Amino acid sequence: MTTLDPWGAVKIDNYSKLFDEFGISKFDELLQKIPNPHRYMRRHVIFGHRSYDSVLEAILCKKPFAAMSGFMPTGKAHLGHKMVMEEIIWHQQQGGDVFLAIADMEAHAVRGKSWKECRDLGINEYILSAIALGLEPGAHIYFQSKFDPVRDLSFELGIKANYSELSAIYGFSGETNISHMVSAITQSADILHPQLKDFGGPKPVVIPVGSDQDPHIRLTRGLAYKTNLFLVEIRGEGHISVRGKAAPKEALKEIAKRTGGKLYEEHVDILTLKHTLLEVESIVREVELKYGGYAFMPPASTYHKFMTGLQGGKMSSSIPESFIALTDKPEDGAKKVMRAITGGRVTLEEQKKLGGEPDKCSVYELLVYHLLEDDNELLDVYTDCVGGTRVCGNCKRFTSELMKGFLEDHQEKREIAKERLGEFGL
Ligand code: SF4
């Protein structure tokens, strides 16, 4: 059984297992319908999703939707963080309301960072880079510890989660401190709060994550169901059941009336001939809001593959050579590329004869994930590499120049972003 560990930097080798073991759906099935897909979508870096259909429908029909993500301010923002920032920014460009949390409570409780360090790292590493990459005003940027809606909601959600459930997901033990547990629930509140009335009410919300973060998503989807007044389910062939154990009787009556369903003691049965599941869910949400419930939609998620470390293995914040930080000096970033592990053969002769192995090459990965936007140009690199006409030395020089250019440009934009923090309410 694969274990996903959101607190450690696990590398998941066999992504296909996730589809079967954890019920993650394949992203490819949606790809054709997405207008202007992001390069991570086109290149299958984003490989899975939960309920992204609801977000896609909102994009296509120009209905409200949101995207949210959080960053734990413990160190330097690097290319892995850039991936999430880009995904959030892409959803803002598609018309979504976007939310960016600085998870200072988690950094303080789990990693022992002082509040001042959290504030400084949050702004200087994460927020400035997100703005430099294209985040626009209107985005909701906040620090967990200073944001009442999230803190209040996390307290409510905590009522619906117990120790056994959290420890089954996160491996908490008797030694785990209470604030660590609180920070897990706070992340669920981060994810659900865009659906509070003050932020426009229930709507599809996507959380772009690496697959190691799926336990958070599953916990939060479960909490959304448990916190709602009603549970809507397909019950066998031909009917939908709306259960509302904690709901006022009048609310169930109203649902029965509006759907033409049959009212029982604690549920309503509706023939699917009368309404589709989506229609019933929409009616139930309206009734739930009227009676003071949250009516949360289960949060959607997309899952991207991890970048490998520049030296092979995984990227680790304790090994600076394994990653490129967005604030690395451009020359240093370029040098890291020159020292990176490639998919080249042992000798030039072999390389010409057998071709390189771009699928095992961290330099190629930089081109795929970050440095080449043009798919045709990327395809040329791939073809030349496997055909043995591309030599690693030249290829690394080419990539390191691109990296240097990217970092120079990004860091200039970060300087401009410093002057723009006020536009984001910071
Ligand atoms: S030629 Fe480029 S892409 Fe191919 S293995 Fe060498 S460095 Fe990697």
Side-chain angles (χ1 to χ4, degrees):
M1 187 92 171
T2 310
T3 306
L4 300 178
D5 171 15
W7 309 108
V10 261
K11 180 169 185 284
I12 295 161
D13 291 317
N14 190 349
Y15 292 102
S16 61
K17 271 192 195 167
L18 297 171
F19 299 124
D20 304 331
E21 286 188 18
F22 294 100
I24 291 173
S25 306
K26 291 185 177 159
F27 197 80
D28 278 6
E29 289 153 12
L30 301 178
L31 194 56
Q32 300 300 327
K33 299 181 202 154
I34 300 177
N36 313 313
H38 188 273
R39 98 181 82 85
Y40 297 148
M41 297 172 175
R42 301 195 310 265
R43 297 176 184 175
H44 311 292
V45 173
I46 293 175
F47 66 91
H49 75 97
R50 285 188 196 273
S51 303
Y52 192 75
D53 331 45
S54 60
V55 177
L56 180 55
E57 203 209 80
I59 293 175
L60 295 173
C61 303
K62 305 211 178 307
K63 288 186 191 158
F65 71 97
M68 99 73 52
S69 186
F71 297 96
M72 182 160 58
T74 52
K76 286 189 164 297
H78 52 60
L79 293 175
H81 299 112
K82 172 178 172 277
M83 291 174 69
V84 177
M85 291 174 191
E86 279 191 73
E87 289 173 61
I88 291 289
I89 291 163
W90 183 85
H91 282 96
Q92 187 179 39
Q93 290 164 350
Q94 310 313 306
D97 202 11
V98 301
F99 296 77
L100 198 153
I102 299 298
D104 57 345
M105 287 171 69
E106 189 185 358
H108 187 63
V110 182
R111 302 286 176 84
K113 290 279 170 195
S114 73
W115 293 114
K116 183 174 182 322
E117 280 177 294
C118 290
R119 173 98 199 155
D120 292 348
L121 286 170
I123 290 189
N124 294 325
E125 287 296 325
Y126 299 89
I127 296 173
L128 288 182
S129 276
I131 297 172
L133 288 168
L135 194 71
E136 288 295 335
H140 309 259
I141 304 177
Y142 64 92
F143 286 75
Q144 283 175 330
S145 67
K146 299 276 184 290
F147 196 52
D148 289 345
V150 161
R151 292 175 64 180
D152 294 349
L153 180 59
S154 71
F155 190 77
E156 291 292 331
L157 297 178
I159 298 168
K160 302 289 178 188
N162 62 38
Y163 172 75
S164 312
E165 191 183 12
L166 289 191
S167 48
I169 293 177
Y170 300 114
F172 290 163
S173 72
E175 305 299 308
T176 306
N177 74 61
I178 302 290
S179 297
H180 187 160
M181 296 179 204
V182 172
S183 73
I185 287 291
T186 306
Q187 288 199 39
S188 293
D190 283 327
I191 291 172
L192 291 174
H193 92 276
Q195 299 193 61
L196 293 175
K197 265 191 196 154
D198 287 351
F199 299 95
K203 61 174 110 29
V205 180
V206 60
I207 324 298
V209 291
S211 45
D212 61 335
Q213 298 297 313
D214 188 52
H216 291 309
I217 302 292
R218 277 184 289 143
L219 170 71
T220 309
R221 287 170 68 92
L223 288 172
Y225 286 122
K226 285 189 211 166
T227 313
N228 286 347
L229 295 178
F230 300 102
L231 180 65
V232 184
E233 289 175 306
I234 300 246
R235 301 282 283 193
E237 292 262 316
H239 77 273
I240 298 166
S241 149
V242 179
R243 280 195 283 139
K245 214 171 171 183
K249 190 80 185 163
E250 304 79 63
L252 268 181
K253 257 192 213 166
E254 184 171 339
I255 289 169
K257 195 171 159 206
R258 287 183 59 179
T259 57
K262 191 161 181 314
L263 179 66
Y264 293 89
E265 190 59 28
E266 286 178 353
H267 75 278
V268 175
D269 262 355
I270 303 146
L271 288 176
T272 46
L273 286 175
K274 292 191 175 168
H275 291 284
T276 64
L277 181 65
L278 286 179
E279 284 165 355
V280 172
E281 284 175 336
S282 168
I283 291 169
V284 168
R285 269 197 297 278
E286 280 177 29
V287 174
E288 172 154 355
L289 286 174
K290 187 172 152 191
Y291 284 85
Y294 289 108
F296 289 133
M297 294 177 74
S301 46
T302 53
Y303 301 92
H304 55 242
K305 291 179 189 168
F306 296 104
M307 289 185 66
T308 39
L310 294 173
Q311 300 297 316
K314 62 190 179 193
M315 276 203 301
S316 164
S317 47
S318 56
I319 311 170
E321 285 300 301
S322 73
F323 65 88
I324 292 174
L326 297 173
T327 49
D328 271 350
K329 283 188 192 148
E331 337 38 284
D332 291 348
K335 275 185 204 155
K336 284 185 184 178
V337 176
M338 291 306 292
R339 288 196 287 263
I341 291 216
T342 72
R345 305 287 176 176
V346 182
T347 64
L348 193 57
E349 215 171 54
E350 253 187 68
Q351 176 100 351
K352 283 186 177 159
K353 196 167 144 207
L354 301 171
E357 296 181 286
D359 298 337
K360 296 180 184 169
C361 178
S362 61
V363 175
Y364 183 71
E365 206 177 76
L366 290 172
L367 297 173
V368 174
Y369 283 55
H370 300 287
L371 298 173
L372 279 187
E373 188 60 40
D374 184 335
D375 289 349
N376 290 326
E377 210 180 331
L378 185 71
L379 193 63
D380 285 346
V381 172
Y382 187 90
T383 315
D384 292 349
C385 174
V386 294
T389 54
R390 198 170 176 93
V391 183
C392 291
N394 288 343
C395 187
K396 283 207 269 193
R397 267 187 289 281
F398 167 76
T399 308
S400 73
E401 276 306 310
L402 289 179
M403 180 56 73
K404 188 163 169 267
F406 161 72
L407 288 172
E408 281 167 355
D409 178 60
H410 180 66
Q411 288 168 19
E412 271 172 33
K413 288 180 176 153
R414 279 174 49 90
E415 289 304 312
I416 298 167
K418 284 180 189 167
E419 306 301 319
R420 295 186 60 207
L421 286 171
E423 294 174 39
F424 294 83
L426 293 161

